[in-house]
Amino acid sequence: MDISSAPEAAAHALAGARVINAELLYQPRPASLSARAVFDHALRARLSSLTADDGLLLLVNGPETLASVAPLLAVFPLPRRAALAVNPAPLEAAPNTPRALGWETPERWQAMQTTDRWARLLAAFEVADRVGGEGWLALPALDAVYSRPLLDWLIQQSQALGGERPAAVSPVTPYQHYPLPGVRTPPVIVGALNSAFNRDETLPSRLAAGSAQGVWGKLSLIPRAACSVIRARAETDVWEDDREIDRVLREAGWTTRGLWLRDPVLYHQTPPVFDRAGLKAVIWRTLHYSLHIPAAVPAGTSLLAQAARPYGAEDSIWYCEARRLADEVTAECMGELAAVVARCGASWVDWGAYRTVARAGDPAVEVWRKR
């Protein structure tokens, strides 16, 4: 499969597709056996959701990443597929952040215009816009696990909820960590991540009423006809790209709807989180990127809410232990984050090849890459 940097070529290859599934791959398949098993399982599941009427768009950081997934792609020989190499562009007028924050070798850091995820999202929207016609753009996260029944259901919901034009829809699941058989993950780790991120008891009802965010970053199905307005109006310096896409679509008159879905057979997430260190990394990143929310200091997020009662597991000893672990790790991260913000006025996280800087009260982030 050839790699290109031309959206026009990708659009030509995908012409006529009903659903264009965009995979945003920022690095090669993991080297760790456990992490690779999880990655491969999730990607195979998503590829199995596509039929000959659909298309696959791979947005990668370079040829090495594309080559690493080639064995998986060979099992699903879709007639419509394309690969683009997409990375963020440098920012010419860069701030003095590396020196101000005391980074090692500050002269070696290059500021970027956007996150690498935003760069690939914009490329996906451009390709989908160029393909045109009726149809959808699917944007799954790397840990999203589903197959064709979910995609068919989302298409039906998009058509039913949108009225004269289809809605942008996203499934929202309480199963944000679901173990993969054969990969050792302690139940307390699975439960702790689910406990940490399922503390808003009002979310299902708010989603049903359309009063909560409709486009979610773990998986969204967006009408291709809406892609041009996103490209034109989105503020791409904010970290929460899904929330920004939702804002743009709603202001432009499109319906967006998050759909609460509690069936893990249809849809769940399986992230490469196997131990306490992995759990802490996820919670730390979430608190870091929540610095801008004007709530608790230094971060405002549902992670800090009182734990909601579990669904069907009120008396589970595993749940109680998991909730205690989630509370413990969250408090630990909050203390460390507060110390960093008090000392530096900002926090930063390394993700892939990039370092992202967040500041309290500021929804915009800075993105840096070491030369």
Side-chain angles (χ1 to χ4, degrees):
M1 186 176 183
D2 294 331
I3 194 168
S4 172
S5 59
E8 301 89 344
H12 178 75
L14 296 167
R18 191 182 190 206
V19 174
I20 298 173
N21 183 82
E23 295 287 342
L24 281 58
L25 305 177
Y26 67 95
Q27 64 183 9
R29 292 163 70 200
S32 158
L33 292 181
S34 294
R36 175 170 287 202
V38 165
F39 175 91
D40 289 359
H41 171 73
L43 181 56
R44 285 194 194 99
R46 296 193 299 274
L47 292 175
S48 75
S49 74
L50 304 176
T51 71
D53 293 328
D54 303 318
L56 176 63
L57 174 60
L58 299 164
L59 299 160
V60 301
N61 64 330
E64 183 181 358
T65 293
L66 181 60
S68 77
V69 298
L72 302 178
L73 301 178
V75 182
F76 301 92
L78 295 163
R80 297 181 181 88
R81 61 182 191 174
L84 286 178
V86 181
N87 292 290
L91 180 66
E92 298 303 325
N96 195 33
T97 300
R99 293 188 186 279
L101 298 183
W103 295 350
E104 184 180 356
T105 60
E107 70 283 354
R108 292 185 59 193
W109 289 92
Q110 169 70 61
M112 315 305 292
Q113 292 181 13
T114 69
T115 64
D116 57 332
R117 177 173 166 84
W118 259 123
R120 293 180 189 119
L121 284 172
L122 292 175
F125 294 137
E126 180 176 359
V127 171
D129 186 29
R130 287 178 179 275
V131 171
E134 296 182 357
W136 291 265
L137 173 67
L139 295 168
L142 297 180
D143 58 358
V145 182
Y146 59 89
S147 56
R148 188 67 197 187
L150 176 75
L151 206 53
D152 285 338
W153 181 72
L154 290 177
I155 290 171
Q156 293 168 4
Q157 294 297 311
S158 173
Q159 293 171 326
L161 293 167
E164 294 184 358
R165 55 187 184 181
V169 295
S170 290
V172 182
T173 176
Y175 296 99
Q176 298 189 37
H177 197 334
Y178 197 80
L180 174 63
V183 175
R184 185 181 179 278
T185 306
V188 69
I189 297 298
V190 175
L193 193 146
N194 286 326
S195 171
F197 288 91
N198 283 285
R199 302 201 166 193
D200 183 355
E201 292 180 297
T202 70
L203 182 57
S205 60
R206 290 190 296 113
L207 288 171
S211 59
Q213 180 177 326
V215 174
W216 289 63
K218 288 298 184 178
L219 174 59
S220 58
L221 190 70
I222 297 177
R224 286 207 295 270
C227 290
S228 61
V229 72
I230 300 172
R231 291 179 60 206
R233 302 186 188 181
E235 299 288 343
T236 58
D237 58 353
V238 301
W239 170 257
E240 293 179 296
D241 46 73
D242 54 351
R243 186 180 295 272
E244 176 64 9
I245 292 167
D246 185 71
R247 179 194 67 81
V248 168
L249 290 177
R250 290 189 183 220
E251 290 183 359
W254 289 83
T255 299
T256 72
R257 188 64 58 86
L259 306 167
W260 186 251
L261 186 60
R262 288 189 55 202
D263 184 352
V265 175
L266 277 179
Y267 173 59
H268 63 264
Q269 291 145 31
T270 300
V273 176
F274 311 107
D275 52 25
R276 190 183 191 280
L279 174 69
K280 182 176 179 179
V282 173
I283 292 176
W284 170 272
R285 284 198 304 270
T286 303
L287 292 171
H288 164 80
Y289 292 123
S290 302
L291 274 174
H292 69 280
I293 301 174
V297 176
T301 168
S302 61
L303 274 172
L304 306 179
Q306 182 70 30
R309 292 182 64 190
Y311 293 98
E314 289 85 348
D315 301 321
S316 167
I317 187 172
W318 285 112
Y319 179 81
C320 293
E321 182 183 354
R323 186 168 64 183
R324 284 194 296 269
L325 178 59
D327 292 343
E328 172 189 305
V329 172
T330 300
E332 184 178 312
C333 290
M334 280 292 293
E336 295 175 5
L337 183 62
V340 169
V341 173
R343 184 175 70 252
C344 303
S347 172
W348 58 92
V349 164
D350 292 336
W351 184 255
Y354 300 91
R355 175 169 289 182
T356 307
V357 179
R359 292 180 172 82
D362 188 352
V365 296
E366 293 178 18
V367 183
W368 296 82
R369 180 168 185 170
K370 212 164 191 179
R371 299 179 192 272

